[in-house]
Every structure is written in structure tokens, then in C-alpha cells.
Amino acid sequence: HYMPPQVLEAVLSSMAANKLNVLHWHITDAMSFPLELERLPKLAAEGSFGAGKTYSRAVVQHIVAFAANLSIRVVPELDMPAHTDSWIFGE
């Protein structure tokens, strides 16, 4: 599901305070595809929960850099081959 970038930053700050160093970011799921892809723009445009509930390339880069400044590694996950109901919109 979608989490606003400010919420992700708060999660990362809490992780750093508790000495956790890996965020397994489940960035897509069966119900939503919030990741904007240049080659498949309809995935996020039609597969997300709505306008403004997507992650642009710049937002993802910001979250990864924010995490790195806290010594946290981000491991993004794009579900495949299971949990891909939202992918039908990219066809």
C-alpha cells in the first residue's frame, strides 16, 4: 500500500533510533502499483490508489538517500509473479 514520503521518513528516523539498518520496502502489491515507470506510465496512473499516491523516480531516490544518511539500506520489492492484479492496467 501507499505511504506518503513524510511517513516513510518518520519510519526511517524511528528505525535509526532503534538501530535497525534495513528497510524492506514493499513498494508494490496486488492492490496498488504506486511506482511511476517511464516505460509503463499507465501502471502507476491507473494502478495506484489515486492521484498523488504514487512514487516518482525523484521521490524514490530521495527516500533511498534519506535512508543512506541514517545508515539504512533500502531493499525495494516489486511483487512478481504473484500479487500482480494491479499490473493489468499497464497493458
Side-chain angles (χ1 to χ4, degrees):
H1 295 298
Y2 177 80
M3 293 177 68
Q6 299 85 350
V7 172
L8 290 170
E9 289 175 356
V11 168
L12 289 163
S13 295
S14 295
M15 288 176 63
N18 287 285
K19 299 185 179 186
L20 300 173
N21 62 3
V22 178
L23 172 67
H24 184 133
W25 189 5
H26 194 95
I27 199 165
T28 66
D29 60 24
M31 304 310 293
S32 174
F33 196 99
L35 181 62
E36 296 176 8
L37 301 174
E38 289 178 20
R39 295 189 66 173
L40 299 168
K42 288 180 73 177
L43 276 175
E46 297 183 23
S48 68
F49 283 130
K53 294 185 178 180
T54 61
Y55 301 114
S56 67
R57 173 183 227 138
V59 167
V60 172
Q61 289 173 332
H62 169 76
I63 294 298
V64 171
F66 186 90
N69 283 338
L70 298 172
S71 299
I72 297 173
R73 180 172 47 113
V74 176
V75 179
E77 179 180 331
L78 302 177
D79 283 342
M80 189 173 162
H83 305 296
T84 56
D85 292 344
S86 64
W87 291 41
I88 194 167
F89 299 110
E91 295 184 329

